[in-house]
Amino acid sequence: MAQASSQLSALELPSVSWRRRHLLGLEELSAEEIRTVLEVASRFAQVPATAPLPELLQGKTVVNLFFEDSTRTRTSFALAVRRLGGEVIDFQASASSLSKGETILDTARTIEAMGVDAVVIRHRTPGAPHLLAQNLQASVINAGDGPHEHPTQALLDMLTILQHRGSLEGLTVALVGDIAHSRTARSNIWGLTRLGAHVILCGPATLVSRRWEALGVEVSYSLDDILPRCDVLNLLRIQFERQQSRPFPSVREYAHLYAMNRQRLEQAKPNVLIMAPGPINRGVEITADVADGSHSVILKQVTNGVAVRMAVLWLCLCVAQQDGQP
Ligand code: ASP
């Protein structure tokens, strides 16, 4: 196993073991591996955004291969690479040969042939990152594959909770909204349950199935019922772009039953954390006053996204490579 004591004495990165070149999902990570990423990320998060960092990714080139829209994820991967001294290339799917019929695998192989070390991919097809990982020499990082997984989102959500609560063990975390189509929900379920949190999935019956209980989570259809028990509320966006049919009569009705608003906040624990992966739709899953209020850690999540992505890139591109893993 790689023992990377790191060149970062100023940063005090821990000595870690890490064998994976790819990060495809949290389902496949052990509790120990998740703790390792969070531990490294928490060290990066302690460094002010303007302070210099050692060039851990010097000589490494990372391609952002995004086939779906993104604001936070794409930008924070790019910032993470640059802050650690690497090169990042932003691939424009709409301006590429994909529009001429090239497959995603041929596109990725073509990019790899130019000498890239990692591909960060977002694609609407579940399993697209796995396909690349099986066929490329480069590291593959999943930045969201359809409704399947979004591992770095869940890691940054967990890091944010840890910073405020110290531990995930025994906390009650509700994921509220469009569970059926949310990759954020899936990755959070794997990560949170593995680290000992109690997860409640809450939303309309058309978007949350009782079948999820098989994963060791609780399912509820009433936000008002579960509210007083929750330490954390993670408010998920309704993923209209993934839905074939309308899952509830109107957005207004959804907001009436599931939006986090000031009245509901009064029924919650005094120190409840309000989270959202973004983009947020003000007035749908969360009202503006709650999104901008004192319980909200939504922008802290965004800040932590850079630290988590630095940790993942360093572990997969540097630590795992030292260990000579395939
Ligand atoms: N940004 C997150 C994602 O890409 C959540 C969302 O889009 O609602 O899955």
Side-chain angles (χ1 to χ4, degrees), residues 146-189:
H148 179 224
E149 279 233 37
H150 191 354
T152 54
Q153 175 69 53
L155 288 163
L156 73 87
D157 293 342
M158 285 190 277
L159 176 62
T160 307
I161 300 172
L162 279 176
Q163 287 169 339
H164 287 84
R165 293 288 182 274
S167 168
L168 288 158
E169 187 80 46
L171 287 187
T172 296
V173 181
L175 305 173
V176 183
D178 184 356
I179 309 298
H181 304 94
S182 171
R183 50 197 177 205
T184 296
R186 281 172 182 73
S187 291
N188 262 280
I189 291 168

Side-chain angles (χ1 to χ4, degrees), residues 3-318:
Q3 289 295 320
S5 57
S6 93
Q7 318 135 41
L8 290 189
S9 47
L11 186 63
E12 291 178 32
L13 277 188
S15 178
V16 293
S17 294
W18 186 262
R19 302 177 68 91
R20 294 181 188 276
R21 287 194 307 118
H22 311 296
L23 180 68
L24 303 177
L26 291 198
E27 182 177 4
E28 66 201 33
L29 294 199
S30 66
E32 203 42 50
E33 288 173 307
I34 294 172
R35 278 194 205 98
T36 297
V37 185
L38 294 174
E39 173 65 18
V40 174
S42 77
R43 304 296 177 96
F44 281 122
Q46 284 160 18
V47 180
T50 48
L53 283 168
E55 305 212 319
L56 294 171
L57 295 182
Q58 193 180 38
K60 308 273 188 202
T61 304
V62 177
V63 173
N64 262 343
L65 198 56
F66 279 58
F67 299 93
E68 278 192 332
D69 295 343
S70 172
T71 304
R72 282 149 287 269
T73 308
R74 180 198 277 261
T75 310
S76 65
F77 266 110
L79 277 173
V81 176
R82 290 207 184 103
R83 288 215 68 206
L84 296 180
E87 287 281 340
V88 64
I89 293 163
D90 256 314
F91 174 87
Q92 296 295 339
S94 57
S96 74
S97 290
L98 283 155
S99 59
K100 300 180 188 169
E102 189 172 66
T103 66
I104 164 187
L105 192 52
D106 281 332
T107 301
R109 281 190 177 129
T110 302
I111 290 170
E112 186 185 46
M114 297 176 203
V116 308
D117 300 283
V119 175
V120 176
I121 177 170
R122 168 169 289 189
H123 199 277
R124 67 184 165 83
T125 309
H130 306 66
L131 178 74
L132 295 199
Q134 282 156 15
N135 288 280
L136 300 185
Q137 297 302 312
S139 288
V140 178
I141 313 293
N142 183 359
D145 58 333
H148 179 224
E149 279 233 37
H150 191 354
T152 54
Q153 175 69 53
L155 288 163
L156 73 87
D157 293 342
M158 285 190 277
L159 176 62
T160 307
I161 300 172
L162 279 176
Q163 287 169 339
H164 287 84
R165 293 288 182 274
S167 168
L168 288 158
E169 187 80 46
L171 287 187
T172 296
V173 181
L175 305 173
V176 183
D178 184 356
I179 309 298
H181 304 94
S182 171
R183 50 197 177 205
T184 296
R186 281 172 182 73
S187 291
N188 262 280
I189 291 168
W190 295 121
L192 289 168
T193 54
R194 219 147 271 172
L195 293 202
H198 175 64
V199 175
I200 307 177
L201 306 181
C202 181
T206 43
L207 293 174
V208 191
S209 159
R210 289 256 174 236
R211 281 181 300 170
W212 290 92
E213 287 168 350
L215 297 179
V217 300
E218 181 183 336
V219 169
S220 168
Y221 299 119
S222 167
L223 179 56
D224 292 318
D225 281 357
I226 62 162
L227 208 45
R229 288 194 282 136
C230 295
D231 297 292
V232 179
L233 291 155
N234 196 343
L235 304 158
L236 308 177
R237 186 177 63 88
I238 304 299
Q239 314 263 307
F240 288 112
E241 72 274 25
R242 300 196 201 287
Q243 296 166 2
Q244 312 294 334
S245 57
R246 197 174 255 275
F248 37 74
S250 71
V251 169
R252 183 189 288 210
E253 179 168 326
Y254 176 84
H256 176 65
L257 293 171
Y258 296 104
M260 196 60 201
N261 54 31
R262 200 176 323 144
Q263 292 72 32
R264 289 203 164 99
L265 203 50
E266 282 163 17
Q267 306 307 313
K269 288 189 177 182
N271 63 348
V272 69
L273 289 184
I274 301 294
M275 304 177 70
I280 58 171
N281 284 316
R282 290 168 185 257
V284 181
E285 68 270 13
I286 189 168
T287 55
D289 52 351
V290 176
D292 302 330
S294 60
H295 293 265
S296 169
V297 290
I298 295 171
L299 289 178
K300 186 76 192 160
Q301 289 172 264
V302 178
T303 305
N304 283 334
V306 180
V308 159
R309 283 148 188 148
M310 287 198 279
V312 166
L313 289 164
W314 178 64
L315 289 167
C316 293
L317 271 72
C318 303

